[in-house]
Amino acid sequence: KQEVTQIPAALSVPEGENLVLNCSFTDSAIYNLQWFRQDPGKGLTSLLLIQSSQREQTSGRLNASLDKSSGRSTLYIAASQPGDSATYLCAVGAQKLVFGQGTRLTINP
Amino acid sequence: NAGVMQNPRHLVRRRGQEARLRCSPMKGHSHVYWYRQLPEEGLKFMVYLQKENIIDESGMPKERFSAEFPKEGPSILRIQQVVRGDSAAYFCASSPPGTEDEKLFFGSGTQLSVL
């Protein structure tokens, strides 16, 4: 049974810092890995999708990497801004996604 | 192109009543998924539907819960005889046909509160 863990559960950093969010999964036979952003009272916004054959994806200030052999993914956020404050979720699978518990990120002005 | 539309945004029911949650997928999407987020827990898969077919309902509770995606109209998640433990955020997602490697697009969710 696939399990996804995200560390840390919460993170607070000053504006402008670069930061890394971590995601680990127990079964390396994954299809895709996605990173989502969830704002309070709102739905999920897909940030990056890494297919199982890929090692990383980039979008603007975001970079996600995938290491299937070690069962890990990282989401790197460069030059953080207060607007980046949200909960970040990692999920593995295709249609039937298995989610981590999320990292609640706060960027302090 | 409107996103995934869910309604209502908030639904309050008393114990024993029925709850109906609706989801209209993005235009051109024929795959619908329902997920549930219990308080202080992560999102959990419930069911995957295509038009008029349930593809995978392995995450659905065995009793009181049902889902449909008719040929016309939105997908419906139905919870009969609700209990307090059903209080959660229910999210719907959609994707185009034949796109196992594509992103899922999520709606804003329905917050169900059972009194």
Side-chain angles (χ1 to χ4, degrees):
Chain A
K1 178 186 173 185
Q2 179 73 271
E3 293 183 0
V4 179
T5 303
Q6 291 187 245
I7 295 173
L11 181 64
S12 181
V13 301
E15 180 179 2
E17 282 203 3
N18 304 324
L19 58 100
V20 174
L21 307 181
N22 296 293
C23 171
S24 61
F25 44 93
T26 54
D27 185 350
S28 62
I30 65 171
Y31 201 89
N32 294 329
L33 185 142
Q34 284 187 249
W35 283 92
F36 292 88
R37 169 184 173 139
Q38 184 175 25
D39 293 281
K42 296 187 179 179
L44 281 71
T45 302
S46 181
L47 299 173
L48 292 163
L49 180 147
I50 310 176
Q51 297 178 8
S52 61
S53 59
Q54 298 175 327
R55 296 297 300 269
E56 67 175 344
Q57 285 286 333
T58 298
S59 176
R61 295 182 292 108
L62 305 179
N63 174 274
S65 67
L66 174 62
D67 183 346
K68 286 176 56 179
S69 61
S70 66
R72 295 178 189 274
S73 175
T74 60
L75 178 66
Y76 175 82
I77 302 177
S80 58
Q81 303 170 358
D84 295 331
S85 298
T87 296
Y88 290 80
L89 299 168
C90 165
V92 300
Q95 292 90 356
K96 187 175 174 180
L97 296 175
V98 178
F99 281 85
Q101 296 276 70
T103 294
R104 188 176 306 135
L105 176 63
T106 302
I107 307 299
N108 302 303
Chain B
N1 187 11
V4 177
M5 303 301 291
Q6 289 189 248
N7 65 82
R9 288 296 307 276
H10 302 276
L11 182 61
V12 180
R13 286 287 178 266
R14 296 190 181 280
R15 282 178 295 171
Q17 291 184 319
E18 178 180 285
R20 280 181 177 248
L21 288 64
R22 286 177 290 279
C23 169
S24 296
M26 288 182 69
K27 186 176 181 181
H29 288 195
S30 58
H31 299 190
V32 165
Y33 318 83
W34 286 93
Y35 286 79
R36 177 167 68 171
Q37 187 172 36
L38 291 165
E40 305 304 322
E41 293 189 20
L43 278 91
K44 297 285 196 295
F45 168 83
M46 298 182 75
V47 62
Y48 163 33
L49 309 107
Q50 295 178 15
K51 288 281 187 182
E52 300 184 283
N53 280 306
I54 296 175
I55 307 302
D56 183 342
E57 57 180 347
S58 58
M60 288 280 271
K62 299 299 180 199
E63 298 178 347
R64 302 186 298 107
F65 285 71
S66 62
E68 63 176 6
F69 188 19
K71 187 176 181 180
E72 301 291 337
S75 174
I76 305 289
L77 179 67
R78 181 184 179 203
I79 311 172
Q80 294 178 288
Q81 299 175 331
V82 296
V83 301
R84 290 223 172 103
D86 297 332
S87 295
Y90 292 82
F91 290 96
C92 171
S94 72
S95 66
T99 55
E100 290 78 10
D101 59 349
E102 293 288 334
K103 297 176 185 177
L104 297 189
F105 294 82
F106 280 79
S108 297
T110 292
Q111 181 65 51
L112 173 65
S113 299
V114 180
L115 305 179

